[in-house]
Amino acid sequence: MRKKIIAANWKMNMTVSEAESFVDDFQREVADITGVEIVIAPPFTSLPKLSELVGDSQNIRLGAQNFHPEPSGAFTGEISASMLRELFVRYVIIGHSERRQIFGESDAFINQKVLAAQANELKPILCIGETLAEREAGREKEILAGQLHGALANVPVEEFPDMVIAYEPVWAIGTGKTATAAQAQEAHAHTREVLAELSNPETANKIRIQYGGSVKPDNAKELLSQPDIDGALVGGASLESRSFTRIVSACCEDNG
Ligand code: 13P
């Protein structure tokens, strides 16, 4: 009942011309794939070109990797929600571990972004995940619950179904170390329980939870066949269109 969602997080990769050539190939490769939502989150500079190519009507949606919660003003270097909406951006990645760690984003700031995204018709892809030290100390469930409670404070229950949560164990990002399907499923089931506490079980069952962290064409199918894994947030393997297409199709085979 939850439509799978596969998202590309290109991070700080791809020039506009590289993005254009990717989308040229990719649109052809996924033309016959249905039943899955595809999101591409390029750097801001490629959004105008991709919005021209992809528009608002196809099965490929646009995402942004970041935005600032204020509507406008003296925030040098930042981008607002309305600037993104004008380019047909539907999703915005919030709380990625790189933003938490490198740019010092706190749960309180992430919460402001979630609320501002929802107020501006952008759907959050909210990232949560534990570090290796936290997992080794057996604290992963507590960390995930803390991040969810912090990021989702004051979010009305009716906004929950439109959010996407991405479970990205920090130790699996860009390292080639994927969580096993069983580890990921356990974390996803726990995430859904916390979402049920914050809303209710029926609402929590509607929320799509993606796995992220070294997802590749070869491991996508097993991860995506777990009952609580509703998609993937893909970094490195989304930079090449054939490899991203194989991940998208792994998801469809699984859907039958
Ligand atoms: P990799 O797929 O490169 O591990 O990156 C995952 C990620 O951070 C997606 O947001």
Side-chain angles (χ1 to χ4, degrees):
M1 100 192 180
R2 294 183 295 265
K3 188 174 187 177
K4 292 257 197 297
I5 176 164
I6 307 291
N9 174 9
W10 284 354
K11 308 191 181 183
M12 197 172 70
N13 295 291
M14 304 280 235
T15 62
V16 179
S17 51
E18 287 164 347
E20 189 174 0
S21 118
F22 175 103
V23 167
D24 243 23
D25 294 339
F26 185 65
Q27 275 184 312
R28 236 175 301 115
E29 288 165 8
V30 297
D32 296 331
I33 299 180
T34 53
V36 52
E37 196 172 351
I38 302 168
V39 179
I40 298 180
F44 291 133
T45 44
S46 290
L47 281 172
K49 176 52 79 182
L50 294 200
S51 109
E52 214 179 283
L53 295 175
V54 167
D56 195 29
S57 56
Q58 327 240 346
N59 65 340
I60 303 173
R61 304 282 192 206
L62 286 183
Q65 296 176 21
N66 187 29
F67 81 116
H68 195 280
E70 291 298 329
S72 63
F75 299 97
T76 301
E78 293 295 315
I79 300 278
S80 75
S82 61
M83 295 170 188
L84 297 175
R85 287 292 307 154
E86 197 178 35
L87 297 172
F88 300 120
V89 171
R90 298 289 191 98
Y91 287 94
V92 63
I93 298 173
I94 299 176
H96 194 281
S97 62
E98 287 149 19
R99 297 220 56 94
R100 292 178 192 259
Q101 293 188 338
I102 305 170
F103 301 100
E105 293 192 6
S106 65
D107 279 331
F109 189 51
I110 291 164
N111 178 232
Q112 278 181 41
K113 288 189 180 190
V114 169
L115 295 169
Q118 289 166 339
N120 288 282
E121 292 171 48
L122 290 172
K123 297 180 184 182
I125 298 181
L126 171 67
C127 302
I128 56 172
E130 80 285 357
T131 62
L132 185 59
E134 288 161 347
R135 176 163 280 266
E136 283 175 350
R139 294 181 55 218
E140 67 273 14
K141 289 192 174 159
E142 167 204 336
I143 296 296
L144 298 180
Q147 289 176 345
L148 286 166
H149 278 267
L152 300 179
N154 302 315
V155 171
V157 169
E158 60 271 19
E159 294 285 357
F160 273 62
D162 270 346
M163 288 190 305
V164 176
I165 307 292
Y167 168 61
E168 299 206 314
V170 178
W171 48 271
I173 296 178
T175 57
K177 281 190 205 157
T178 324
T180 63
Q183 280 172 326
Q185 166 55 28
E186 194 183 350
H188 281 230
H190 170 68
T191 296
R192 205 175 297 289
E193 276 166 29
V194 178
L195 291 169
E197 278 161 33
L198 287 165
S199 58
N200 56 63
E202 194 196 343
T203 301
N205 268 330
K206 294 182 184 156
I207 302 174
R208 293 175 296 177
I209 307 175
Q210 298 175 311
Y211 170 79
S214 297
V215 175
K216 307 284 175 222
D218 294 344
N219 60 25
K221 193 166 182 209
E222 193 190 356
L223 286 160
L224 290 164
S225 64
Q226 301 302 309
D228 285 293
I229 301 188
D230 309 309
L233 183 55
V234 188
S238 73
L239 295 172
E240 200 265 310
S241 101
R242 191 64 214 137
S243 127
F244 191 48
T245 299
R246 284 178 61 205
I247 293 172
V248 171
S249 349
C251 163
C252 296
E253 286 161 25
D254 179 58
N255 274 345

